[in-house]
């Protein structure tokens, strides 16, 4: 058993995804305690450059055409071989579509414990601890790392992505992937979802509404705010499921990932499936009447207030400022 912390780097279409940097930041925290190294595991093809800005002691790079883009079979086969050989103290994967797919398979194949939806990791009194945000973000479950290798799927919000980036290129070691033939799944084509009436993934100002909006009629007021800010409305999944807005406006795991300059979240709790789509926002402001809403953990600014007390006067003030 080694003391190293593995981080499985997620990338899509030639871009390292933000969650990878969050995980590297978390891994450094753990490695400080274990005395091991932070090792980034990069699976890809002709993709060495993806490692250039990773803040890690070392990169282990497995290069194979079958690893060019994520497929569950190929990633699982590669990671089963690597984790079996190296036996790290912990393996961090994203709590994302990719990470969840692989982590559960890895846990089953290697009979390793798995903590999912992990928000934070820490150490005290000689042991390592995790905090997992379960039940859609409503319960924080804390526990000690068990002995042996622990798998964790990490949520954004507990660590700053900038702490996982480095201006120095890390040491990179090539490793041979296991045989990757006879895979059941291969990528034929990457299809972008249709943009719909508005492509929210390209909009710089987004006013996002959640179940706190209470009824469809209140959309009118939110639309006034969006108009005043020259922004567009988007929503959490329940609003789309209720048929109040079209699917093209849904943000999150089942919807679009957005990267606006401003994401103003009104009455959205901050469930992991929603957060997954908004971590690339430049500025995230949350308005929620519940001070314990998980959205406040990742928002740069937050207002613990009834959204209806705010929206109307905000519209008035913006209009006034514009008029002035
Ligand atoms: C496989 C899967 C995929 C999913 N994909 C997505 C996805 O893509 N996108 C997504 O959004 N969800 C997705 N979900 C659902 C997700 O788990 C949550 O249920 C959903 O995000 C919750 O939406 P919400 O925050 O609007 O509602 P809630 O969780 O009900 O939160 C409503 C919030 O409004 C606040 N509130 C109430 N009244 C007011 C008021 N007057 N003023 C201010 N605040 C108020 C409450 O305090 C609360 O925090 C998915 C779930 C699963 C299982």
């Amino acid at each position: 058993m080694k003391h190293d912390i593995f981080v499985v780097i997620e990338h899509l279409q030639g871009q390292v995804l933000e969650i990878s940097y969050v995980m590297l930041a978390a891994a450094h925290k753990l490695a400080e305690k274990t005395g091991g190294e932070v090792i980034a595991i990069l699976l890809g093809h002709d993709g060495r450059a993806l490692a250039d800005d990773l803040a890690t002691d070392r990169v282990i790079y497995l290069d194979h055409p079958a690893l060019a883009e994520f497929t569950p079979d190929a990633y699982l086969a590669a990671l089963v071989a690597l984790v079996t050989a190296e036996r790290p103290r912990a393996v961090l994967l994203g709590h994302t579509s990719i990470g969840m797919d692989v982590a559960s398979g890895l846990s089953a194949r290697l009979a390793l414990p798995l903590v999912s939806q992990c928000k934070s990791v820490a150490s005290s009194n000689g042991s390592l601890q995790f905090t997992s945000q379960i039940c859609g973000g409503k319960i924080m479950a804390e526990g000690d790392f068990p002995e042996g290798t622990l798998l964790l799927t990490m949520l954004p919000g507990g660590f700053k992505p900038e702490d996982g980036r480095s201006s120095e290129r890390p040491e990179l070691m090539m490793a041979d992937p296991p045989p990757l033939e006879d895979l059941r799944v291969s990528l034929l084509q990457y299809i972008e979802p249709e943009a719909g009436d508005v492509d929210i993934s390209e909009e710089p100002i987004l006013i996002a509404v959640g179940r706190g909006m209470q009824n469809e009629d209140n959309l009118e007021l939110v639309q006034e705010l969006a108009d005043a800010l020259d922004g567009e409305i988007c929503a959490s999944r329940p609003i789309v499921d209720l048929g109040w807005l079209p699917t093209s406006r849904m943000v999150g795991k089942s919807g679009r990932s957005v990267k606006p300059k401003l994401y103003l979240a009104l009455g959205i709790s901050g469930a992991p499936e929603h957060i997954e789509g908004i971590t690339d926002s430049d500025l995230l402001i949350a308005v929620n009447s519940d001070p314990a809403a998980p959205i406040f953990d990742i928002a740069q600014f937050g207002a613990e207030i009834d959204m209806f007390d705010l929206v109307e006067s905000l519209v008035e003030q913006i209009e006034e400022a514009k008029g002035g």
Side-chain angles (χ1 to χ4, degrees):
M1 160 63 98
K2 294 187 186 161
H3 302 294
D4 299 335
I5 311 297
F6 277 15
V7 175
V8 179
I9 300 302
E10 287 196 15
H11 56 94
L12 188 67
Q13 297 195 294
Q15 298 283 331
V16 173
L17 302 181
E18 186 94 339
I19 191 67
S20 303
Y21 301 109
V22 171
M23 292 192 287
L24 287 169
H28 281 287
K29 184 98 185 163
L30 290 172
E32 267 170 32
K33 183 70 195 168
T34 64
E37 287 189 317
V38 172
I39 301 181
I41 309 300
L42 180 61
L43 310 176
H45 184 50
D46 292 339
R48 295 176 78 116
L50 290 167
D52 283 356
D53 69 345
L54 304 179
T56 182
D57 296 315
R58 222 156 21 106
V59 179
I60 297 181
Y61 177 41
L62 280 72
D63 187 293
H64 191 284
L67 295 170
E69 293 287 351
F70 168 75
T71 64
D73 279 9
Y75 263 50
L76 190 55
L79 290 171
V80 163
L82 198 61
V83 173
T84 305
E86 299 291 328
R87 303 184 65 215
R89 180 68 180 95
V91 182
L92 309 188
L93 302 107
H95 190 75
T96 56
S97 303
I98 293 178
M100 284 192 285
D101 205 331
V102 180
S104 50
L106 207 50
S107 172
R109 289 269 191 95
L110 300 179
L112 293 176
L114 164 63
V115 176
S116 71
Q117 304 183 67
C118 186
K119 192 65 187 277
S120 181
V121 289
S123 63
S124 79
N125 303 328
S127 65
L128 300 171
Q129 283 105 25
F130 61 81
T131 303
S132 169
Q133 187 180 326
I134 57 176
C135 296
K138 294 186 177 65
I139 296 177
M140 303 302 269
E142 293 174 355
D144 288 342
F145 278 37
E147 292 299 315
T149 299
L150 178 64
L151 310 175
L152 303 104
T153 60
M154 300 291 299
L155 292 168
F159 294 88
K160 292 187 189 142
E162 49 272 30
D163 294 341
R165 283 198 176 88
S166 169
S167 51
E168 280 175 37
R169 198 179 287 175
E171 179 193 345
L172 185 140
M173 288 173 49
M174 300 295 291
D176 290 329
L180 293 174
E181 286 89 42
D182 302 327
L183 299 171
R184 291 168 305 168
V185 179
S186 62
L187 183 82
L188 294 181
Q189 188 189 357
Y190 185 82
I191 304 172
E192 281 283 349
E194 280 185 25
D197 57 341
V198 168
D199 184 356
I200 55 170
S201 70
E202 296 298 329
E203 288 296 327
I205 296 177
L206 288 174
I207 317 303
V209 281
R211 200 146 34 193
M213 192 176 74
Q214 289 159 20
N215 67 62
E216 193 175 5
D217 294 343
N218 290 326
L219 257 184
E220 206 174 310
L221 184 59
V222 179
Q223 185 64 57
E224 279 178 33
L225 178 60
D227 292 344
L229 287 168
D230 292 325
E232 288 291 343
I233 293 189
C234 60
S236 64
R237 181 166 158 175
I239 301 304
V240 172
D241 288 348
L242 284 161
W244 297 352
L245 284 170
T247 312
S248 56
R249 303 280 177 144
M250 183 178 9
V251 175
K253 178 186 282 304
S254 337
R256 305 298 307 263
S257 289
V258 297
K259 46 178 183 351
K261 289 192 186 322
L262 168 65
Y263 192 84
L264 175 58
L266 304 172
I268 291 180
S269 60
E273 294 85 4
H274 187 80
I275 301 296
E276 186 176 330
I278 62 174
T279 49
D280 284 346
S281 305
D282 286 346
L283 177 62
L284 172 55
I285 303 178
V287 178
N288 197 302
S289 49
D290 176 6
I295 189 104
F296 288 132
D297 295 342
I298 64 153
Q300 283 103 324
F301 296 97
E304 294 167 22
I305 188 175
D306 187 314
M307 59 179 272
F308 299 107
D309 288 343
L310 180 80
V311 172
E312 214 164 318
S313 69
L314 195 55
V315 172
E316 276 169 24
Q317 288 185 39
I318 294 167
E319 295 301 353
E320 227 176 84
K322 278 181 171 175

